PDB file of all heavy atoms in Angstrom:
ATOM      1  N   THR A 167      -2.172 -58.042  37.440  1.00  0.00           N
ATOM      2  CA  THR A 167      -1.845 -59.002  36.377  1.00  0.00           C
ATOM      3  C   THR A 167      -2.281 -58.490  35.013  1.00  0.00           C
ATOM      4  O   THR A 167      -1.609 -58.684  34.004  1.00  0.00           O
ATOM      5  CB  THR A 167      -2.514 -60.359  36.662  1.00  0.00           C
ATOM      6  OG1 THR A 167      -1.975 -60.884  37.875  1.00  0.00           O
ATOM      7  CG2 THR A 167      -2.277 -61.351  35.551  1.00  0.00           C
ATOM      8  N   PHE A 168      -3.440 -57.808  34.975  1.00  0.00           N
ATOM      9  CA  PHE A 168      -3.954 -57.322  33.680  1.00  0.00           C
ATOM     10  C   PHE A 168      -3.530 -55.881  33.406  1.00  0.00           C
ATOM     11  O   PHE A 168      -3.920 -55.331  32.376  1.00  0.00           O
ATOM     12  CB  PHE A 168      -5.467 -57.486  33.633  1.00  0.00           C
ATOM     13  CG  PHE A 168      -5.874 -58.903  33.347  1.00  0.00           C
ATOM     14  CD1 PHE A 168      -5.991 -59.844  34.348  1.00  0.00           C
ATOM     15  CD2 PHE A 168      -6.078 -59.311  32.033  1.00  0.00           C
ATOM     16  CE1 PHE A 168      -6.340 -61.155  34.071  1.00  0.00           C
ATOM     17  CE2 PHE A 168      -6.419 -60.625  31.750  1.00  0.00           C
ATOM     18  CZ  PHE A 168      -6.537 -61.554  32.780  1.00  0.00           C
ATOM     19  N   GLU A 169      -2.743 -55.298  34.286  1.00  0.00           N
ATOM     20  CA  GLU A 169      -2.153 -53.977  34.029  1.00  0.00           C
ATOM     21  C   GLU A 169      -0.645 -54.025  33.866  1.00  0.00           C
ATOM     22  O   GLU A 169      -0.025 -53.000  33.591  1.00  0.00           O
ATOM     23  CB  GLU A 169      -2.538 -53.021  35.182  1.00  0.00           C
ATOM     24  CG  GLU A 169      -4.024 -52.676  35.253  1.00  0.00           C
ATOM     25  CD  GLU A 169      -4.357 -51.769  36.407  1.00  0.00           C
ATOM     26  OE1 GLU A 169      -3.480 -51.461  37.224  1.00  0.00           O
ATOM     27  OE2 GLU A 169      -5.527 -51.368  36.482  1.00  0.00           O
ATOM     28  N   ASN A 170      -0.065 -55.191  34.053  1.00  0.00           N
ATOM     29  CA  ASN A 170       1.379 -55.356  34.004  1.00  0.00           C
ATOM     30  C   ASN A 170       1.746 -56.330  32.898  1.00  0.00           C
ATOM     31  O   ASN A 170       1.343 -57.507  32.945  1.00  0.00           O
ATOM     32  CB  ASN A 170       1.903 -55.846  35.361  1.00  0.00           C
ATOM     33  CG  ASN A 170       3.384 -55.977  35.435  1.00  0.00           C
ATOM     34  OD1 ASN A 170       3.960 -56.870  34.809  1.00  0.00           O
ATOM     35  ND2 ASN A 170       4.040 -55.116  36.179  1.00  0.00           N
ATOM     36  N   SER A 171       2.488 -55.884  31.912  1.00  0.00           N
ATOM     37  CA  SER A 171       2.770 -56.723  30.746  1.00  0.00           C
ATOM     38  C   SER A 171       3.581 -57.954  31.117  1.00  0.00           C
ATOM     39  O   SER A 171       3.408 -59.035  30.510  1.00  0.00           O
ATOM     40  CB  SER A 171       3.518 -55.919  29.675  1.00  0.00           C
ATOM     41  OG  SER A 171       4.757 -55.460  30.191  1.00  0.00           O
ATOM     42  N   HIS A 172       4.458 -57.876  32.131  1.00  0.00           N
ATOM     43  CA  HIS A 172       5.279 -59.040  32.534  1.00  0.00           C
ATOM     44  C   HIS A 172       4.384 -60.138  33.112  1.00  0.00           C
ATOM     45  O   HIS A 172       4.511 -61.309  32.747  1.00  0.00           O
ATOM     46  CB  HIS A 172       6.325 -58.624  33.557  1.00  0.00           C
ATOM     47  CG  HIS A 172       7.225 -57.540  33.105  1.00  0.00           C
ATOM     48  ND1 HIS A 172       8.255 -57.737  32.210  1.00  0.00           N
ATOM     49  CD2 HIS A 172       7.278 -56.205  33.433  1.00  0.00           C
ATOM     50  CE1 HIS A 172       8.894 -56.610  31.990  1.00  0.00           C
ATOM     51  NE2 HIS A 172       8.316 -55.665  32.696  1.00  0.00           N
ATOM     52  N   LEU A 173       3.518 -59.757  34.041  1.00  0.00           N
ATOM     53  CA  LEU A 173       2.643 -60.756  34.662  1.00  0.00           C
ATOM     54  C   LEU A 173       1.617 -61.304  33.672  1.00  0.00           C
ATOM     55  O   LEU A 173       1.305 -62.494  33.690  1.00  0.00           O
ATOM     56  CB  LEU A 173       1.932 -60.145  35.871  1.00  0.00           C
ATOM     57  CG  LEU A 173       2.842 -59.845  37.078  1.00  0.00           C
ATOM     58  CD1 LEU A 173       2.053 -59.092  38.144  1.00  0.00           C
ATOM     59  CD2 LEU A 173       3.426 -61.108  37.661  1.00  0.00           C
ATOM     60  N   HIS A 174       1.115 -60.439  32.823  1.00  0.00           N
ATOM     61  CA  HIS A 174       0.158 -60.865  31.801  1.00  0.00           C
ATOM     62  C   HIS A 174       0.794 -61.893  30.886  1.00  0.00           C
ATOM     63  O   HIS A 174       0.225 -62.956  30.583  1.00  0.00           O
ATOM     64  CB  HIS A 174      -0.302 -59.648  30.996  1.00  0.00           C
ATOM     65  CG  HIS A 174      -1.140 -60.004  29.795  1.00  0.00           C
ATOM     66  ND1 HIS A 174      -0.566 -60.250  28.557  1.00  0.00           N
ATOM     67  CD2 HIS A 174      -2.473 -60.205  29.644  1.00  0.00           C
ATOM     68  CE1 HIS A 174      -1.508 -60.546  27.704  1.00  0.00           C
ATOM     69  NE2 HIS A 174      -2.676 -60.538  28.329  1.00  0.00           N
ATOM     70  N   ARG A 175       2.011 -61.595  30.418  1.00  0.00           N
ATOM     71  CA  ARG A 175       2.700 -62.548  29.512  1.00  0.00           C
ATOM     72  C   ARG A 175       2.945 -63.882  30.180  1.00  0.00           C
ATOM     73  O   ARG A 175       2.725 -64.937  29.585  1.00  0.00           O
ATOM     74  CB  ARG A 175       4.013 -61.936  29.038  1.00  0.00           C
ATOM     75  CG  ARG A 175       4.770 -62.838  28.052  1.00  0.00           C
ATOM     76  CD  ARG A 175       6.024 -62.178  27.510  1.00  0.00           C
ATOM     77  NE  ARG A 175       7.009 -61.882  28.544  1.00  0.00           N
ATOM     78  CZ  ARG A 175       7.280 -60.658  29.003  1.00  0.00           C
ATOM     79  NH1 ARG A 175       6.657 -59.612  28.500  1.00  0.00           N
ATOM     80  NH2 ARG A 175       8.192 -60.476  29.951  1.00  0.00           N
ATOM     81  N   PHE A 176       3.404 -63.837  31.447  1.00  0.00           N
ATOM     82  CA  PHE A 176       3.698 -65.107  32.138  1.00  0.00           C
ATOM     83  C   PHE A 176       2.435 -65.949  32.283  1.00  0.00           C
ATOM     84  O   PHE A 176       2.460 -67.186  32.049  1.00  0.00           O
ATOM     85  CB  PHE A 176       4.305 -64.826  33.513  1.00  0.00           C
ATOM     86  CG  PHE A 176       4.723 -66.075  34.252  1.00  0.00           C
ATOM     87  CD1 PHE A 176       5.918 -66.688  33.964  1.00  0.00           C
ATOM     88  CD2 PHE A 176       3.907 -66.616  35.238  1.00  0.00           C
ATOM     89  CE1 PHE A 176       6.300 -67.860  34.615  1.00  0.00           C
ATOM     90  CE2 PHE A 176       4.290 -67.759  35.907  1.00  0.00           C
ATOM     91  CZ  PHE A 176       5.488 -68.381  35.612  1.00  0.00           C
ATOM     92  N   LEU A 177       1.338 -65.331  32.656  1.00  0.00           N
ATOM     93  CA  LEU A 177       0.087 -66.065  32.810  1.00  0.00           C
ATOM     94  C   LEU A 177      -0.324 -66.708  31.498  1.00  0.00           C
ATOM     95  O   LEU A 177      -0.590 -67.933  31.454  1.00  0.00           O
ATOM     96  CB  LEU A 177      -1.042 -65.135  33.294  1.00  0.00           C
ATOM     97  CG  LEU A 177      -2.454 -65.727  33.283  1.00  0.00           C
ATOM     98  CD1 LEU A 177      -2.557 -66.915  34.210  1.00  0.00           C
ATOM     99  CD2 LEU A 177      -3.470 -64.651  33.656  1.00  0.00           C
ATOM    100  N   PHE A 178      -0.357 -65.942  30.410  1.00  0.00           N
ATOM    101  CA  PHE A 178      -0.886 -66.478  29.166  1.00  0.00           C
ATOM    102  C   PHE A 178       0.080 -67.435  28.482  1.00  0.00           C
ATOM    103  O   PHE A 178      -0.349 -68.286  27.695  1.00  0.00           O
ATOM    104  CB  PHE A 178      -1.335 -65.342  28.254  1.00  0.00           C
ATOM    105  CG  PHE A 178      -2.680 -64.792  28.656  1.00  0.00           C
ATOM    106  CD1 PHE A 178      -2.780 -63.794  29.613  1.00  0.00           C
ATOM    107  CD2 PHE A 178      -3.843 -65.308  28.118  1.00  0.00           C
ATOM    108  CE1 PHE A 178      -4.011 -63.308  29.999  1.00  0.00           C
ATOM    109  CE2 PHE A 178      -5.091 -64.842  28.510  1.00  0.00           C
ATOM    110  CZ  PHE A 178      -5.167 -63.848  29.464  1.00  0.00           C
ATOM    111  N   GLU A 179       1.377 -67.333  28.801  1.00  0.00           N
ATOM    112  CA  GLU A 179       2.316 -68.336  28.316  1.00  0.00           C
ATOM    113  C   GLU A 179       2.067 -69.693  28.945  1.00  0.00           C
ATOM    114  O   GLU A 179       2.485 -70.731  28.406  1.00  0.00           O
ATOM    115  CB  GLU A 179       3.732 -67.893  28.606  1.00  0.00           C
ATOM    116  CG  GLU A 179       4.294 -66.826  27.667  1.00  0.00           C
ATOM    117  CD  GLU A 179       5.688 -66.364  28.076  1.00  0.00           C
ATOM    118  OE1 GLU A 179       6.135 -66.730  29.201  1.00  0.00           O
ATOM    119  OE2 GLU A 179       6.318 -65.639  27.286  1.00  0.00           O
TER     120      GLU A 179
END
Side-chain angles (χ1 to χ4, degrees):
T167 297
F168 282 85
E169 292 179 355
N170 183 289
S171 61
H172 303 285
L173 290 173
H174 171 270
R175 181 175 63 252
F176 184 80
L177 170 62
F178 281 87
E179 283 176 350

